[in-house]
């Protein structure tokens, strides 16, 4: 992939991987340029989403980004707070996050997943005005879905390892099973 191809992908929108009535709808911050070029969510080689998803027990094997279409068969989906692709999340404005939160709430209302899992606490705080939010289950319900904030799986997030993220994702998986969502 050339630098020119990556730059040409700026501001592209990547289609969601969704279906009605999912067990968990994972919500990224926004697509990376790599994701926009490939059309596959969490496609950057340094992103740890796919290994974490498997290690936490959500998938029976580690999927590749190109296998994202299998997720609805596991009751899972992927969307983003902000639809447009950027090189870095810090290129997004607070207003884009807030508008993304409004659009996400409407999407969740329409799709009716049992859980909305936002991957990135700062994105969640900004999109929904929840300054005190922390990683874990939230009291807020969005569009009828319970909300869980997960650590951002980006390789830039050095505060979390694959193993520690998998533990947190597994807590969500357990909560979703207890709610009769499995």
């Amino acid at each position: 992939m050339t630098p020119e191809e990556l730059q040409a992908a700026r501001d592209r929108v990547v289609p969601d991987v969704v279906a009605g009535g999912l067990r968990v709808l994972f919500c990224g911050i926004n697509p990376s340029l790599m994701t926009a070029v490939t059309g596959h969510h969490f496609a950057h080689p340094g992103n740890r989403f796919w290994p974490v998803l498997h290690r936490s027990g959500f998938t029976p094997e580690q999927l590749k980004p190109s296998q994202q279409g299998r997720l609805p068969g596991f009751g899972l989906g992927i969307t983003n707070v902000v639809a447009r692709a950027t090189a870095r999340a810090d290129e997004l404005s607070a207003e884009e996050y807030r508008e993304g939160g409004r659009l996400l709430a409407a999407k969740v209302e329409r799709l009716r997943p049992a859980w909305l899992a936002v991957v990135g606490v700062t994105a969640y705080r900004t999109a929904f005005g929840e300054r005190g939010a922390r990683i874990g289950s939230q009291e807020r319900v969005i569009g009828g879905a319970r909300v869980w904030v997960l650590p951002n799986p980006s390789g830039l997030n050095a505060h979390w390892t694959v193993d520690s993220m998998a533990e947190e994702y597994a807590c969500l998986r357990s909560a979703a099973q207890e709610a009769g969502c499995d």
Side-chain angles (χ1 to χ4, degrees), residues 4 19 24 28 49 58 60-61 73 104 113 124 131 135 151 165 173:
E4 292 78 21
V24 179
F49 178 79
F58 274 110
E61 74 246 13
L104 179 59
Y124 176 76
R131 290 191 169 160
I135 298 294
M165 279 190 283
R173 184 181 52 77

Side-chain angles (χ1 to χ4, degrees), residues 164-178:
S164 64
M165 279 190 283
E167 287 177 22
E168 188 61 37
Y169 281 56
C171 289
L172 166 61
R173 184 181 52 77
S174 294
Q177 287 172 331
E178 289 172 18

Side-chain angles (χ1 to χ4, degrees), residues 83-102:
R84 75 179 183 94
T86 61
R88 297 178 323 276
D90 65 5
E91 296 176 41
L92 302 172
S93 70
E95 182 51 39
E96 283 180 284
Y97 279 107
R98 288 189 293 273
E99 177 61 17
R102 287 189 286 275

Side-chain angles (χ1 to χ4, degrees), residues 9 18 36 45-47 54 64 70 79 99 104 110 120 125 127-130 135 141-142 144 146 152 163 170 175 177:
V18 296
N47 195 295
H54 171 60
K64 297 176 184 154
R70 293 180 58 194
T79 189
E99 177 61 17
L104 179 59
R110 188 179 80 251
R125 287 173 181 158
F128 296 102
E130 298 278 348
I135 298 294
V141 173
I142 296 175
R146 303 241 358 240
N152 184 340
D163 289 337
Q177 287 172 331

Side-chain angles (χ1 to χ4, degrees), residues 5-129:
E5 288 173 309
L6 289 172
Q7 285 309 310
R10 186 173 294 282
D11 297 326
R12 273 191 203 155
V13 173
V14 177
D16 293 338
V17 178
V18 296
L22 295 169
R23 183 169 45 132
V24 179
L25 178 59
F26 291 94
C27 181
I29 298 169
N30 76 307
S32 70
L33 296 181
M34 180 81 68
T35 287
V37 169
T38 64
H40 303 127
H41 293 273
F42 301 104
H44 192 281
N47 195 295
R48 301 167 293 176
F49 178 79
W50 298 102
V52 167
L53 200 64
H54 171 60
R55 287 192 192 184
S56 63
F58 274 110
T59 59
E61 74 246 13
Q62 184 174 320
L63 301 178
K64 297 176 184 154
S66 62
Q67 296 174 303
Q68 68 185 14
R70 293 180 58 194
L71 289 177
F74 301 118
L76 309 173
I78 302 175
T79 189
N80 287 287
V81 174
V82 177
R84 75 179 183 94
T86 61
R88 297 178 323 276
D90 65 5
E91 296 176 41
L92 302 172
S93 70
E95 182 51 39
E96 283 180 284
Y97 279 107
R98 288 189 293 273
E99 177 61 17
R102 287 189 286 275
L103 295 172
L104 179 59
K107 185 180 298 183
V108 170
E109 177 77 32
R110 188 179 80 251
L111 294 172
R112 308 299 288 173
W115 286 87
L116 173 64
V118 180
V119 295
V121 68
T122 302
Y124 176 76
R125 287 173 181 158
T126 306
F128 296 102

